[in-house]
Amino acid sequence: MCAAFPDFRLGKVLATSFTGTLSERYGDAVERIPTPHRLVDWLTVNGLAVDSCTTAQLDLARELRESIHAAATAAAIRDALPASAVQVINDRSAQGRAAAILTPEGERRWRLGSASCVEDALSVIAVDAISIIAGERDGKLALCASPTCQAAFFDTSRSRTRKWCDMNTCGNRQKKARFHANQRKNPRSAE
């Protein structure tokens, strides 16, 4: 991956990891798929390798990403799902030709259509979003406690009380801020 671009924030849930390709939505937003080639990179890293991507396909991907974010956010706060977001997710789900396959190791992988096109990969992401938003998987949708992030994430922790979309970024940033605030209040505690 090119050093000129920010790292991908990879998670265990495909749909919410995909929404993480735009991070810090309420601060200084970081676009992690600014070019069609970066989308190809992200899909490859997530087991959905495609041959190429056009600007129009990147636009479709971003539309899906924002629709998943809107629907997952609404589901996390138990609000009505936005009809336009649901429509985009359903359209992307129906337009692909991906098939689930079982590997010899007993894992599910996705086989994209013979042309390995972006639409097939987006279909897989949309299907994953549908399964978590519909409550078909064990876990719950939550929003990151970071005021600049507020990303929707899928909490599979035992207690379902996770606060951060990613402990290594948002959680760590908040812990550092709290530590430094305590240091300013109690300068002697550093001695």
Side-chain angles (χ1 to χ4, degrees), residues 11-50:
K12 295 181 180 173
V13 179
L14 183 63
T16 54
S17 292
F18 187 57
T19 64
T21 60
L22 179 64
S23 58
E24 298 302 314
R25 291 172 183 271
Y26 302 98
D28 292 328
V30 178
E31 176 61 73
R32 296 172 192 279
I33 54 169
T35 64
H37 185 72
R38 273 305 270 180
L39 178 59
V40 170
D41 290 345
W42 188 90
L43 292 169
T44 300
V45 167
N46 284 279
L48 298 170
V50 298

PDB file of all heavy atoms in Angstrom, residues 11-50:
ATOM      1  N   GLY A  11     -11.351  -4.103  10.674  1.00  0.00           N
ATOM      2  CA  GLY A  11     -12.067  -4.710  11.788  1.00  0.00           C
ATOM      3  C   GLY A  11     -12.496  -6.111  11.408  1.00  0.00           C
ATOM      4  O   GLY A  11     -12.132  -6.628  10.351  1.00  0.00           O
ATOM      5  N   LYS A  12     -13.289  -6.713  12.252  1.00  0.00           N
ATOM      6  CA  LYS A  12     -13.737  -8.077  12.004  1.00  0.00           C
ATOM      7  C   LYS A  12     -15.085  -8.125  11.298  1.00  0.00           C
ATOM      8  O   LYS A  12     -15.513  -9.178  10.870  1.00  0.00           O
ATOM      9  CB  LYS A  12     -13.812  -8.839  13.319  1.00  0.00           C
ATOM     10  CG  LYS A  12     -12.455  -9.021  13.952  1.00  0.00           C
ATOM     11  CD  LYS A  12     -12.525  -9.784  15.226  1.00  0.00           C
ATOM     12  CE  LYS A  12     -11.117  -9.906  15.779  1.00  0.00           C
ATOM     13  NZ  LYS A  12     -11.040 -10.486  17.070  1.00  0.00           N
ATOM     14  N   VAL A  13     -15.763  -6.993  11.203  1.00  0.00           N
ATOM     15  CA  VAL A  13     -17.071  -6.937  10.565  1.00  0.00           C
ATOM     16  C   VAL A  13     -16.929  -6.126   9.283  1.00  0.00           C
ATOM     17  O   VAL A  13     -16.602  -4.935   9.309  1.00  0.00           O
ATOM     18  CB  VAL A  13     -18.119  -6.316  11.517  1.00  0.00           C
ATOM     19  CG1 VAL A  13     -19.473  -6.232  10.840  1.00  0.00           C
ATOM     20  CG2 VAL A  13     -18.218  -7.145  12.798  1.00  0.00           C
ATOM     21  N   LEU A  14     -17.170  -6.766   8.162  1.00  0.00           N
ATOM     22  CA  LEU A  14     -16.927  -6.164   6.859  1.00  0.00           C
ATOM     23  C   LEU A  14     -17.670  -4.837   6.672  1.00  0.00           C
ATOM     24  O   LEU A  14     -17.076  -3.835   6.282  1.00  0.00           O
ATOM     25  CB  LEU A  14     -17.325  -7.160   5.759  1.00  0.00           C
ATOM     26  CG  LEU A  14     -17.063  -6.732   4.327  1.00  0.00           C
ATOM     27  CD1 LEU A  14     -15.573  -6.546   4.085  1.00  0.00           C
ATOM     28  CD2 LEU A  14     -17.636  -7.764   3.371  1.00  0.00           C
ATOM     29  N   ALA A  15     -18.959  -4.815   6.954  1.00  0.00           N
ATOM     30  CA  ALA A  15     -19.766  -3.616   6.686  1.00  0.00           C
ATOM     31  C   ALA A  15     -19.309  -2.416   7.509  1.00  0.00           C
ATOM     32  O   ALA A  15     -19.182  -1.309   6.982  1.00  0.00           O
ATOM     33  CB  ALA A  15     -21.241  -3.897   6.935  1.00  0.00           C
ATOM     34  N   THR A  16     -19.070  -2.611   8.798  1.00  0.00           N
ATOM     35  CA  THR A  16     -18.651  -1.471   9.614  1.00  0.00           C
ATOM     36  C   THR A  16     -17.194  -1.105   9.342  1.00  0.00           C
ATOM     37  O   THR A  16     -16.822   0.067   9.465  1.00  0.00           O
ATOM     38  CB  THR A  16     -18.903  -1.717  11.116  1.00  0.00           C
ATOM     39  OG1 THR A  16     -18.297  -2.942  11.510  1.00  0.00           O
ATOM     40  CG2 THR A  16     -20.402  -1.744  11.406  1.00  0.00           C
ATOM     41  N   SER A  17     -16.380  -2.062   8.947  1.00  0.00           N
ATOM     42  CA  SER A  17     -15.015  -1.723   8.524  1.00  0.00           C
ATOM     43  C   SER A  17     -15.062  -0.859   7.268  1.00  0.00           C
ATOM     44  O   SER A  17     -14.269   0.073   7.109  1.00  0.00           O
ATOM     45  CB  SER A  17     -14.205  -2.984   8.240  1.00  0.00           C
ATOM     46  OG  SER A  17     -13.964  -3.691   9.414  1.00  0.00           O
ATOM     47  N   PHE A  18     -16.005  -1.166   6.402  1.00  0.00           N
ATOM     48  CA  PHE A  18     -16.155  -0.382   5.175  1.00  0.00           C
ATOM     49  C   PHE A  18     -16.562   1.052   5.502  1.00  0.00           C
ATOM     50  O   PHE A  18     -16.046   1.998   4.896  1.00  0.00           O
ATOM     51  CB  PHE A  18     -17.174  -1.044   4.249  1.00  0.00           C
ATOM     52  CG  PHE A  18     -17.264  -0.389   2.900  1.00  0.00           C
ATOM     53  CD1 PHE A  18     -16.154  -0.258   2.082  1.00  0.00           C
ATOM     54  CD2 PHE A  18     -18.475   0.086   2.432  1.00  0.00           C
ATOM     55  CE1 PHE A  18     -16.237   0.349   0.837  1.00  0.00           C
ATOM     56  CE2 PHE A  18     -18.577   0.689   1.194  1.00  0.00           C
ATOM     57  CZ  PHE A  18     -17.457   0.821   0.386  1.00  0.00           C
ATOM     58  N   THR A  19     -17.453   1.241   6.468  1.00  0.00           N
ATOM     59  CA  THR A  19     -17.824   2.615   6.832  1.00  0.00           C
ATOM     60  C   THR A  19     -16.629   3.357   7.419  1.00  0.00           C
ATOM     61  O   THR A  19     -16.573   4.581   7.355  1.00  0.00           O
ATOM     62  CB  THR A  19     -19.019   2.672   7.815  1.00  0.00           C
ATOM     63  OG1 THR A  19     -18.652   2.068   9.045  1.00  0.00           O
ATOM     64  CG2 THR A  19     -20.255   2.015   7.223  1.00  0.00           C
ATOM     65  N   GLY A  20     -15.669   2.610   7.963  1.00  0.00           N
ATOM     66  CA  GLY A  20     -14.459   3.200   8.519  1.00  0.00           C
ATOM     67  C   GLY A  20     -13.493   3.714   7.468  1.00  0.00           C
ATOM     68  O   GLY A  20     -12.444   4.264   7.803  1.00  0.00           O
ATOM     69  N   THR A  21     -13.842   3.568   6.179  1.00  0.00           N
ATOM     70  CA  THR A  21     -12.984   4.150   5.150  1.00  0.00           C
ATOM     71  C   THR A  21     -13.144   5.666   5.084  1.00  0.00           C
ATOM     72  O   THR A  21     -12.414   6.337   4.359  1.00  0.00           O
ATOM     73  CB  THR A  21     -13.240   3.528   3.753  1.00  0.00           C
ATOM     74  OG1 THR A  21     -14.594   3.758   3.374  1.00  0.00           O
ATOM     75  CG2 THR A  21     -12.911   2.041   3.755  1.00  0.00           C
ATOM     76  N   LEU A  22     -14.106   6.182   5.847  1.00  0.00           N
ATOM     77  CA  LEU A  22     -14.176   7.623   6.111  1.00  0.00           C
ATOM     78  C   LEU A  22     -14.210   7.738   7.629  1.00  0.00           C
ATOM     79  O   LEU A  22     -15.201   7.384   8.264  1.00  0.00           O
ATOM     80  CB  LEU A  22     -15.420   8.277   5.503  1.00  0.00           C
ATOM     81  CG  LEU A  22     -15.550   9.783   5.775  1.00  0.00           C
ATOM     82  CD1 LEU A  22     -14.402  10.558   5.118  1.00  0.00           C
ATOM     83  CD2 LEU A  22     -16.884  10.308   5.279  1.00  0.00           C
ATOM     84  N   SER A  23     -13.122   8.193   8.207  1.00  0.00           N
ATOM     85  CA  SER A  23     -13.061   8.273   9.667  1.00  0.00           C
ATOM     86  C   SER A  23     -13.015   9.719  10.115  1.00  0.00           C
ATOM     87  O   SER A  23     -12.808  10.627   9.321  1.00  0.00           O
ATOM     88  CB  SER A  23     -11.860   7.488  10.201  1.00  0.00           C
ATOM     89  OG  SER A  23     -10.665   7.967   9.638  1.00  0.00           O
ATOM     90  N   GLU A  24     -13.210   9.896  11.412  1.00  0.00           N
ATOM     91  CA  GLU A  24     -13.250  11.234  12.010  1.00  0.00           C
ATOM     92  C   GLU A  24     -14.287  12.107  11.301  1.00  0.00           C
ATOM     93  O   GLU A  24     -14.038  13.268  10.976  1.00  0.00           O
ATOM     94  CB  GLU A  24     -11.869  11.891  11.997  1.00  0.00           C
ATOM     95  CG  GLU A  24     -10.827  11.142  12.801  1.00  0.00           C
ATOM     96  CD  GLU A  24     -11.202  10.972  14.262  1.00  0.00           C
ATOM     97  OE1 GLU A  24     -11.648  11.947  14.900  1.00  0.00           O
ATOM     98  OE2 GLU A  24     -11.061   9.851  14.774  1.00  0.00           O
ATOM     99  N   ARG A  25     -15.465  11.549  11.084  1.00  0.00           N
ATOM    100  CA  ARG A  25     -16.539  12.230  10.356  1.00  0.00           C
ATOM    101  C   ARG A  25     -16.921  13.569  10.965  1.00  0.00           C
ATOM    102  O   ARG A  25     -17.382  14.459  10.275  1.00  0.00           O
ATOM    103  CB  ARG A  25     -17.786  11.350  10.324  1.00  0.00           C
ATOM    104  CG  ARG A  25     -17.644  10.132   9.478  1.00  0.00           C
ATOM    105  CD  ARG A  25     -18.839   9.199   9.650  1.00  0.00           C
ATOM    106  NE  ARG A  25     -18.658   7.988   8.893  1.00  0.00           N
ATOM    107  CZ  ARG A  25     -19.036   7.844   7.634  1.00  0.00           C
ATOM    108  NH1 ARG A  25     -19.652   8.821   7.020  1.00  0.00           N
ATOM    109  NH2 ARG A  25     -18.806   6.713   7.011  1.00  0.00           N
ATOM    110  N   TYR A  26     -16.761  13.721  12.271  1.00  0.00           N
ATOM    111  CA  TYR A  26     -17.187  14.948  12.961  1.00  0.00           C
ATOM    112  C   TYR A  26     -16.000  15.788  13.419  1.00  0.00           C
ATOM    113  O   TYR A  26     -16.140  16.644  14.266  1.00  0.00           O
ATOM    114  CB  TYR A  26     -18.108  14.586  14.127  1.00  0.00           C
ATOM    115  CG  TYR A  26     -19.306  13.812  13.624  1.00  0.00           C
ATOM    116  CD1 TYR A  26     -19.341  12.426  13.695  1.00  0.00           C
ATOM    117  CD2 TYR A  26     -20.372  14.469  13.027  1.00  0.00           C
ATOM    118  CE1 TYR A  26     -20.420  11.710  13.196  1.00  0.00           C
ATOM    119  CE2 TYR A  26     -21.450  13.768  12.528  1.00  0.00           C
ATOM    120  CZ  TYR A  26     -21.472  12.385  12.619  1.00  0.00           C
ATOM    121  OH  TYR A  26     -22.530  11.678  12.109  1.00  0.00           O
ATOM    122  N   GLY A  27     -14.857  15.527  12.841  1.00  0.00           N
ATOM    123  CA  GLY A  27     -13.644  16.284  13.125  1.00  0.00           C
ATOM    124  C   GLY A  27     -12.994  16.602  11.785  1.00  0.00           C
ATOM    125  O   GLY A  27     -13.658  17.027  10.852  1.00  0.00           O
ATOM    126  N   ASP A  28     -11.705  16.351  11.698  1.00  0.00           N
ATOM    127  CA  ASP A  28     -10.998  16.489  10.424  1.00  0.00           C
ATOM    128  C   ASP A  28     -11.116  15.160   9.699  1.00  0.00           C
ATOM    129  O   ASP A  28     -10.307  14.243   9.912  1.00  0.00           O
ATOM    130  CB  ASP A  28      -9.525  16.851  10.653  1.00  0.00           C
ATOM    131  CG  ASP A  28      -9.359  18.248  11.229  1.00  0.00           C
ATOM    132  OD1 ASP A  28     -10.191  19.118  10.894  1.00  0.00           O
ATOM    133  OD2 ASP A  28      -8.421  18.463  12.017  1.00  0.00           O
ATOM    134  N   ALA A  29     -12.135  15.032   8.866  1.00  0.00           N
ATOM    135  CA  ALA A  29     -12.441  13.764   8.195  1.00  0.00           C
ATOM    136  C   ALA A  29     -11.236  13.239   7.424  1.00  0.00           C
ATOM    137  O   ALA A  29     -10.492  14.004   6.801  1.00  0.00           O
ATOM    138  CB  ALA A  29     -13.627  13.936   7.262  1.00  0.00           C
ATOM    139  N   VAL A  30     -11.049  11.914   7.491  1.00  0.00           N
ATOM    140  CA  VAL A  30      -9.963  11.247   6.781  1.00  0.00           C
ATOM    141  C   VAL A  30     -10.592  10.274   5.786  1.00  0.00           C
ATOM    142  O   VAL A  30     -11.226   9.294   6.174  1.00  0.00           O
ATOM    143  CB  VAL A  30      -9.035  10.482   7.754  1.00  0.00           C
ATOM    144  CG1 VAL A  30      -7.945   9.748   6.985  1.00  0.00           C
ATOM    145  CG2 VAL A  30      -8.438  11.424   8.782  1.00  0.00           C
ATOM    146  N   GLU A  31     -10.416  10.566   4.494  1.00  0.00           N
ATOM    147  CA  GLU A  31     -10.919   9.695   3.425  1.00  0.00           C
ATOM    148  C   GLU A  31      -9.847   8.659   3.122  1.00  0.00           C
ATOM    149  O   GLU A  31      -8.743   9.009   2.713  1.00  0.00           O
ATOM    150  CB  GLU A  31     -11.232  10.531   2.173  1.00  0.00           C
ATOM    151  CG  GLU A  31     -11.660   9.715   0.980  1.00  0.00           C
ATOM    152  CD  GLU A  31     -12.932   8.922   1.214  1.00  0.00           C
ATOM    153  OE1 GLU A  31     -14.020   9.530   1.253  1.00  0.00           O
ATOM    154  OE2 GLU A  31     -12.832   7.685   1.373  1.00  0.00           O
ATOM    155  N   ARG A  32     -10.154   7.406   3.357  1.00  0.00           N
ATOM    156  CA  ARG A  32      -9.172   6.342   3.171  1.00  0.00           C
ATOM    157  C   ARG A  32      -9.291   5.658   1.813  1.00  0.00           C
ATOM    158  O   ARG A  32      -8.457   4.815   1.476  1.00  0.00           O
ATOM    159  CB  ARG A  32      -9.272   5.347   4.313  1.00  0.00           C
ATOM    160  CG  ARG A  32      -8.901   6.005   5.644  1.00  0.00           C
ATOM    161  CD  ARG A  32      -9.174   5.114   6.851  1.00  0.00           C
ATOM    162  NE  ARG A  32      -9.078   5.859   8.081  1.00  0.00           N
ATOM    163  CZ  ARG A  32      -7.934   6.151   8.708  1.00  0.00           C
ATOM    164  NH1 ARG A  32      -6.790   5.753   8.215  1.00  0.00           N
ATOM    165  NH2 ARG A  32      -7.947   6.842   9.825  1.00  0.00           N
ATOM    166  N   ILE A  33     -10.329   5.988   1.049  1.00  0.00           N
ATOM    167  CA  ILE A  33     -10.439   5.492  -0.329  1.00  0.00           C
ATOM    168  C   ILE A  33     -10.649   6.690  -1.279  1.00  0.00           C
ATOM    169  O   ILE A  33     -11.687   6.817  -1.911  1.00  0.00           O
ATOM    170  CB  ILE A  33     -11.545   4.421  -0.484  1.00  0.00           C
ATOM    171  CG1 ILE A  33     -12.893   4.918   0.035  1.00  0.00           C
ATOM    172  CG2 ILE A  33     -11.146   3.112   0.176  1.00  0.00           C
ATOM    173  CD1 ILE A  33     -14.075   4.015  -0.330  1.00  0.00           C
ATOM    174  N   PRO A  34      -9.644   7.549  -1.401  1.00  0.00           N
ATOM    175  CA  PRO A  34      -9.803   8.758  -2.215  1.00  0.00           C
ATOM    176  C   PRO A  34      -9.739   8.503  -3.728  1.00  0.00           C
ATOM    177  O   PRO A  34     -10.153   9.349  -4.502  1.00  0.00           O
ATOM    178  CB  PRO A  34      -8.632   9.637  -1.769  1.00  0.00           C
ATOM    179  CG  PRO A  34      -7.591   8.672  -1.341  1.00  0.00           C
ATOM    180  CD  PRO A  34      -8.349   7.514  -0.730  1.00  0.00           C
ATOM    181  N   THR A  35      -9.225   7.353  -4.121  1.00  0.00           N
ATOM    182  CA  THR A  35      -9.073   7.053  -5.548  1.00  0.00           C
ATOM    183  C   THR A  35      -9.628   5.659  -5.835  1.00  0.00           C
ATOM    184  O   THR A  35      -9.715   4.817  -4.920  1.00  0.00           O
ATOM    185  CB  THR A  35      -7.590   7.071  -5.956  1.00  0.00           C
ATOM    186  OG1 THR A  35      -6.912   6.013  -5.266  1.00  0.00           O
ATOM    187  CG2 THR A  35      -6.922   8.411  -5.636  1.00  0.00           C
ATOM    188  N   PRO A  36      -9.980   5.393  -7.089  1.00  0.00           N
ATOM    189  CA  PRO A  36     -10.445   4.042  -7.432  1.00  0.00           C
ATOM    190  C   PRO A  36      -9.432   2.949  -7.054  1.00  0.00           C
ATOM    191  O   PRO A  36      -9.815   1.885  -6.564  1.00  0.00           O
ATOM    192  CB  PRO A  36     -10.648   4.110  -8.945  1.00  0.00           C
ATOM    193  CG  PRO A  36     -10.989   5.550  -9.200  1.00  0.00           C
ATOM    194  CD  PRO A  36     -10.120   6.321  -8.223  1.00  0.00           C
ATOM    195  N   HIS A  37      -8.147   3.228  -7.246  1.00  0.00           N
ATOM    196  CA  HIS A  37      -7.138   2.213  -6.914  1.00  0.00           C
ATOM    197  C   HIS A  37      -7.130   1.897  -5.412  1.00  0.00           C
ATOM    198  O   HIS A  37      -6.913   0.757  -5.010  1.00  0.00           O
ATOM    199  CB  HIS A  37      -5.745   2.643  -7.382  1.00  0.00           C
ATOM    200  CG  HIS A  37      -4.723   1.583  -7.167  1.00  0.00           C
ATOM    201  ND1 HIS A  37      -4.688   0.427  -7.924  1.00  0.00           N
ATOM    202  CD2 HIS A  37      -3.735   1.468  -6.248  1.00  0.00           C
ATOM    203  CE1 HIS A  37      -3.712  -0.360  -7.480  1.00  0.00           C
ATOM    204  NE2 HIS A  37      -3.108   0.252  -6.468  1.00  0.00           N
ATOM    205  N   ARG A  38      -7.366   2.913  -4.576  1.00  0.00           N
ATOM    206  CA  ARG A  38      -7.414   2.665  -3.119  1.00  0.00           C
ATOM    207  C   ARG A  38      -8.595   1.786  -2.751  1.00  0.00           C
ATOM    208  O   ARG A  38      -8.508   0.989  -1.825  1.00  0.00           O
ATOM    209  CB  ARG A  38      -7.493   3.984  -2.354  1.00  0.00           C
ATOM    210  CG  ARG A  38      -6.159   4.598  -2.056  1.00  0.00           C
ATOM    211  CD  ARG A  38      -5.238   3.681  -1.333  1.00  0.00           C
ATOM    212  NE  ARG A  38      -5.394   3.835   0.105  1.00  0.00           N
ATOM    213  CZ  ARG A  38      -4.727   3.162   1.008  1.00  0.00           C
ATOM    214  NH1 ARG A  38      -3.852   2.273   0.655  1.00  0.00           N
ATOM    215  NH2 ARG A  38      -4.931   3.359   2.271  1.00  0.00           N
ATOM    216  N   LEU A  39      -9.727   1.930  -3.457  1.00  0.00           N
ATOM    217  CA  LEU A  39     -10.853   1.028  -3.221  1.00  0.00           C
ATOM    218  C   LEU A  39     -10.463  -0.397  -3.601  1.00  0.00           C
ATOM    219  O   LEU A  39     -10.762  -1.340  -2.861  1.00  0.00           O
ATOM    220  CB  LEU A  39     -12.098   1.468  -3.995  1.00  0.00           C
ATOM    221  CG  LEU A  39     -13.320   0.542  -3.850  1.00  0.00           C
ATOM    222  CD1 LEU A  39     -13.755   0.392  -2.390  1.00  0.00           C
ATOM    223  CD2 LEU A  39     -14.471   1.041  -4.715  1.00  0.00           C
ATOM    224  N   VAL A  40      -9.770  -0.557  -4.715  1.00  0.00           N
ATOM    225  CA  VAL A  40      -9.281  -1.887  -5.115  1.00  0.00           C
ATOM    226  C   VAL A  40      -8.397  -2.456  -4.004  1.00  0.00           C
ATOM    227  O   VAL A  40      -8.523  -3.629  -3.632  1.00  0.00           O
ATOM    228  CB  VAL A  40      -8.524  -1.826  -6.468  1.00  0.00           C
ATOM    229  CG1 VAL A  40      -7.809  -3.143  -6.761  1.00  0.00           C
ATOM    230  CG2 VAL A  40      -9.476  -1.468  -7.596  1.00  0.00           C
ATOM    231  N   ASP A  41      -7.504  -1.631  -3.449  1.00  0.00           N
ATOM    232  CA  ASP A  41      -6.635  -2.072  -2.350  1.00  0.00           C
ATOM    233  C   ASP A  41      -7.461  -2.524  -1.146  1.00  0.00           C
ATOM    234  O   ASP A  41      -7.207  -3.573  -0.570  1.00  0.00           O
ATOM    235  CB  ASP A  41      -5.685  -0.944  -1.904  1.00  0.00           C
ATOM    236  CG  ASP A  41      -4.614  -0.616  -2.923  1.00  0.00           C
ATOM    237  OD1 ASP A  41      -4.386  -1.405  -3.857  1.00  0.00           O
ATOM    238  OD2 ASP A  41      -3.999   0.473  -2.776  1.00  0.00           O
ATOM    239  N   TRP A  42      -8.448  -1.708  -0.749  1.00  0.00           N
ATOM    240  CA  TRP A  42      -9.261  -2.038   0.425  1.00  0.00           C
ATOM    241  C   TRP A  42     -10.019  -3.343   0.195  1.00  0.00           C
ATOM    242  O   TRP A  42     -10.061  -4.204   1.076  1.00  0.00           O
ATOM    243  CB  TRP A  42     -10.245  -0.908   0.755  1.00  0.00           C
ATOM    244  CG  TRP A  42     -10.943  -1.137   2.054  1.00  0.00           C
ATOM    245  CD1 TRP A  42     -10.533  -0.727   3.289  1.00  0.00           C
ATOM    246  CD2 TRP A  42     -12.153  -1.881   2.277  1.00  0.00           C
ATOM    247  NE1 TRP A  42     -11.409  -1.160   4.254  1.00  0.00           N
ATOM    248  CE2 TRP A  42     -12.412  -1.877   3.660  1.00  0.00           C
ATOM    249  CE3 TRP A  42     -13.031  -2.553   1.436  1.00  0.00           C
ATOM    250  CZ2 TRP A  42     -13.519  -2.509   4.216  1.00  0.00           C
ATOM    251  CZ3 TRP A  42     -14.135  -3.197   1.989  1.00  0.00           C
ATOM    252  CH2 TRP A  42     -14.369  -3.160   3.372  1.00  0.00           C
ATOM    253  N   LEU A  43     -10.611  -3.496  -0.970  1.00  0.00           N
ATOM    254  CA  LEU A  43     -11.354  -4.728  -1.271  1.00  0.00           C
ATOM    255  C   LEU A  43     -10.428  -5.933  -1.233  1.00  0.00           C
ATOM    256  O   LEU A  43     -10.788  -6.984  -0.688  1.00  0.00           O
ATOM    257  CB  LEU A  43     -12.054  -4.603  -2.625  1.00  0.00           C
ATOM    258  CG  LEU A  43     -13.199  -3.594  -2.683  1.00  0.00           C
ATOM    259  CD1 LEU A  43     -13.642  -3.369  -4.133  1.00  0.00           C
ATOM    260  CD2 LEU A  43     -14.365  -4.016  -1.809  1.00  0.00           C
ATOM    261  N   THR A  44      -9.227  -5.800  -1.783  1.00  0.00           N
ATOM    262  CA  THR A  44      -8.263  -6.902  -1.789  1.00  0.00           C
ATOM    263  C   THR A  44      -7.880  -7.301  -0.365  1.00  0.00           C
ATOM    264  O   THR A  44      -7.871  -8.489  -0.030  1.00  0.00           O
ATOM    265  CB  THR A  44      -7.012  -6.507  -2.600  1.00  0.00           C
ATOM    266  OG1 THR A  44      -7.420  -6.222  -3.937  1.00  0.00           O
ATOM    267  CG2 THR A  44      -5.975  -7.616  -2.586  1.00  0.00           C
ATOM    268  N   VAL A  45      -7.579  -6.315   0.475  1.00  0.00           N
ATOM    269  CA  VAL A  45      -7.211  -6.590   1.868  1.00  0.00           C
ATOM    270  C   VAL A  45      -8.339  -7.319   2.599  1.00  0.00           C
ATOM    271  O   VAL A  45      -8.097  -8.118   3.498  1.00  0.00           O
ATOM    272  CB  VAL A  45      -6.844  -5.268   2.592  1.00  0.00           C
ATOM    273  CG1 VAL A  45      -6.755  -5.456   4.091  1.00  0.00           C
ATOM    274  CG2 VAL A  45      -5.554  -4.707   2.060  1.00  0.00           C
ATOM    275  N   ASN A  46      -9.566  -7.081   2.172  1.00  0.00           N
ATOM    276  CA  ASN A  46     -10.723  -7.691   2.828  1.00  0.00           C
ATOM    277  C   ASN A  46     -11.258  -8.921   2.103  1.00  0.00           C
ATOM    278  O   ASN A  46     -12.407  -9.326   2.309  1.00  0.00           O
ATOM    279  CB  ASN A  46     -11.823  -6.631   2.999  1.00  0.00           C
ATOM    280  CG  ASN A  46     -11.485  -5.701   4.130  1.00  0.00           C
ATOM    281  OD1 ASN A  46     -11.697  -6.013   5.288  1.00  0.00           O
ATOM    282  ND2 ASN A  46     -10.924  -4.542   3.800  1.00  0.00           N
ATOM    283  N   GLY A  47     -10.435  -9.527   1.261  1.00  0.00           N
ATOM    284  CA  GLY A  47     -10.797 -10.779   0.615  1.00  0.00           C
ATOM    285  C   GLY A  47     -11.781 -10.647  -0.532  1.00  0.00           C
ATOM    286  O   GLY A  47     -12.422 -11.627  -0.907  1.00  0.00           O
ATOM    287  N   LEU A  48     -11.886  -9.466  -1.107  1.00  0.00           N
ATOM    288  CA  LEU A  48     -12.823  -9.226  -2.212  1.00  0.00           C
ATOM    289  C   LEU A  48     -12.072  -8.635  -3.404  1.00  0.00           C
ATOM    290  O   LEU A  48     -12.447  -7.593  -3.945  1.00  0.00           O
ATOM    291  CB  LEU A  48     -13.939  -8.274  -1.765  1.00  0.00           C
ATOM    292  CG  LEU A  48     -14.830  -8.758  -0.625  1.00  0.00           C
ATOM    293  CD1 LEU A  48     -15.722  -7.636  -0.121  1.00  0.00           C
ATOM    294  CD2 LEU A  48     -15.664  -9.951  -1.074  1.00  0.00           C
ATOM    295  N   ALA A  49     -11.011  -9.294  -3.821  1.00  0.00           N
ATOM    296  CA  ALA A  49     -10.154  -8.770  -4.876  1.00  0.00           C
ATOM    297  C   ALA A  49     -10.931  -8.561  -6.178  1.00  0.00           C
ATOM    298  O   ALA A  49     -11.694  -9.431  -6.603  1.00  0.00           O
ATOM    299  CB  ALA A  49      -8.978  -9.705  -5.112  1.00  0.00           C
ATOM    300  N   VAL A  50     -10.742  -7.398  -6.760  1.00  0.00           N
ATOM    301  CA  VAL A  50     -11.344  -7.052  -8.050  1.00  0.00           C
ATOM    302  C   VAL A  50     -10.232  -6.664  -9.015  1.00  0.00           C
ATOM    303  O   VAL A  50      -9.136  -6.304  -8.597  1.00  0.00           O
ATOM    304  CB  VAL A  50     -12.379  -5.908  -7.913  1.00  0.00           C
ATOM    305  CG1 VAL A  50     -13.528  -6.320  -7.010  1.00  0.00           C
ATOM    306  CG2 VAL A  50     -11.739  -4.626  -7.410  1.00  0.00           C
TER     307      VAL A  50
END
